Amino acid sequence: MCETRMETISLIVKRTGQPTGDQEERWNRFIVPYAGESMNVLDSLIWAQRNEDPSLAFRCACRVGMCGSCGVGINGKESLACRTMVRDLRGDSDEIRVEPMRHLPVVRDLVTDTSDFHAKVNRAAPSTELGGAQFAAASVSPLSRERRAIEPQRECIYCGLCYSACSIVGLDDEYLGPAALNRAFVMLADSRNQQSQDALASVANEHGLWRCHTLFECEAVCPKGISPTLAIQRLKRKVITNKLKRLLKIIHPG
Ligand code: FES
């Protein structure tokens, strides 16, 4: 008689801060039925929570890579759980290790407190809505070089994966980080922004632009294919160009 064995995956989740008050870190293994090609890591977490441990904590909302709430570390790499297919992780081992994002306080299990991350984004680019008071009404062609440079960088969903992957954030907790500086680029590269010089000065400091060591760790994990490194380099060039222009005026007045 032919016996059919159900395929399973071994989901190993880092747990912290249980409802009982136990704050000790530990790894829990869940044996999850493999649901086929379309199964993603978020599906496996949901299965584990519904069938094994209702106290397993993680965040999700849209489940289609839009809201940015399901960011975690998966087998050592920052990823969105809803966009990481189980089939793509099954090559080397049937184990999937999931842990919370780095550089953010853990609230419980995979849930992190992102308030510091969002505060830095707001600090780097205070007006979160383009069209605020500092923006002139002039229109800019969507085909202009300026818009073509800005548009891809606007796709950020503020998931925090780049912040977690960035080694410099781990070394300097005041560092604004890739997403915040990318947001600053989106604001400052817009020629309609009438306060761009002030805003540029506020990010051109030791905890802003100059702290980036161009390691490209942020772009390696961005689920939207954005390169915050490129945005940071463009802002650095803007600062240096402005300084050189001022210097030239002093050396060659008139
Ligand atoms: Fe929204 Fe994953 S649940 S991005």
Side-chain angles (χ1 to χ4, degrees), residues 60-63 65-70 80 82:
C60 68
C62 72
R63 299 178 70 169
M66 297 288 287
C67 71
S69 65
C70 67
L80 294 181
C82 73

Side-chain angles (χ1 to χ4, degrees), residues 109-184:
D109 298 341
L110 302 175
V111 178
T112 48
D113 178 355
T114 57
S115 43
D116 201 30
F117 164 74
H118 288 292
K120 286 177 178 176
V121 171
N122 286 334
R123 202 178 337 137
S127 172
T128 51
E129 289 300 323
L130 290 179
Q134 77 271 41
F135 278 85
S139 64
V140 177
S141 164
L143 299 176
S144 65
R145 198 169 162 198
E146 173 187 315
R147 287 319 302 176
R148 281 188 283 126
I150 294 172
E151 284 308 319
Q153 311 299 127
R154 290 184 65 202
E155 295 297 311
C156 181
I157 55 172
Y158 303 100
C159 58
L161 296 185
C162 58
Y163 191 81
S164 172
C166 176
S167 304
I168 308 302
V169 175
L171 297 172
D172 173 8
D173 36 303
E174 286 186 55
Y175 176 46
L176 290 169
L181 292 171
N182 180 68
R183 176 70 192 171

Side-chain angles (χ1 to χ4, degrees), residues 46-226:
I46 291 170
W47 188 95
Q49 187 193 56
R50 286 190 183 155
N51 297 280
E52 296 284 338
D53 186 347
S55 75
L56 177 62
F58 54 89
R59 277 205 187 98
C60 68
C62 72
R63 299 178 70 169
V64 289
M66 297 288 287
C67 71
S69 65
C70 67
V72 286
I74 299 175
N75 290 354
K77 183 181 177 193
E78 280 76 8
S79 314
L80 294 181
C82 73
R83 302 304 287 169
T84 307
M85 307 311 288
V86 170
R87 64 168 188 263
D88 295 336
L89 301 170
R90 301 183 83 212
D92 305 332
S93 146
D94 280 346
E95 284 188 354
I96 298 175
R97 293 177 86 82
V98 188
E99 57 194 308
M101 287 194 291
R102 295 179 296 160
H103 312 322
L104 295 165
V106 176
V107 178
R108 206 176 91 204
D109 298 341
L110 302 175
V111 178
T112 48
D113 178 355
T114 57
S115 43
D116 201 30
F117 164 74
H118 288 292
K120 286 177 178 176
V121 171
N122 286 334
R123 202 178 337 137
S127 172
T128 51
E129 289 300 323
L130 290 179
Q134 77 271 41
F135 278 85
S139 64
V140 177
S141 164
L143 299 176
S144 65
R145 198 169 162 198
E146 173 187 315
R147 287 319 302 176
R148 281 188 283 126
I150 294 172
E151 284 308 319
Q153 311 299 127
R154 290 184 65 202
E155 295 297 311
C156 181
I157 55 172
Y158 303 100
C159 58
L161 296 185
C162 58
Y163 191 81
S164 172
C166 176
S167 304
I168 308 302
V169 175
L171 297 172
D172 173 8
D173 36 303
E174 286 186 55
Y175 176 46
L176 290 169
L181 292 171
N182 180 68
R183 176 70 192 171
F185 168 77
V186 169
M187 301 283 287
L188 301 178
D190 192 319
S191 58
R192 295 167 301 168
N193 188 343
Q194 298 175 326
Q195 292 171 7
S196 65
Q197 291 312 314
D198 294 347
L200 188 58
S202 75
V203 295
N205 56 53
E206 63 188 309
H207 301 301
L209 295 178
W210 308 123
R211 183 61 81 201
C212 172
H213 289 202
T214 326
L215 300 174
F216 295 97
E217 293 164 312
C218 48
E219 73 167 52
V221 299
C222 178
K224 292 295 178 184
I226 296 171

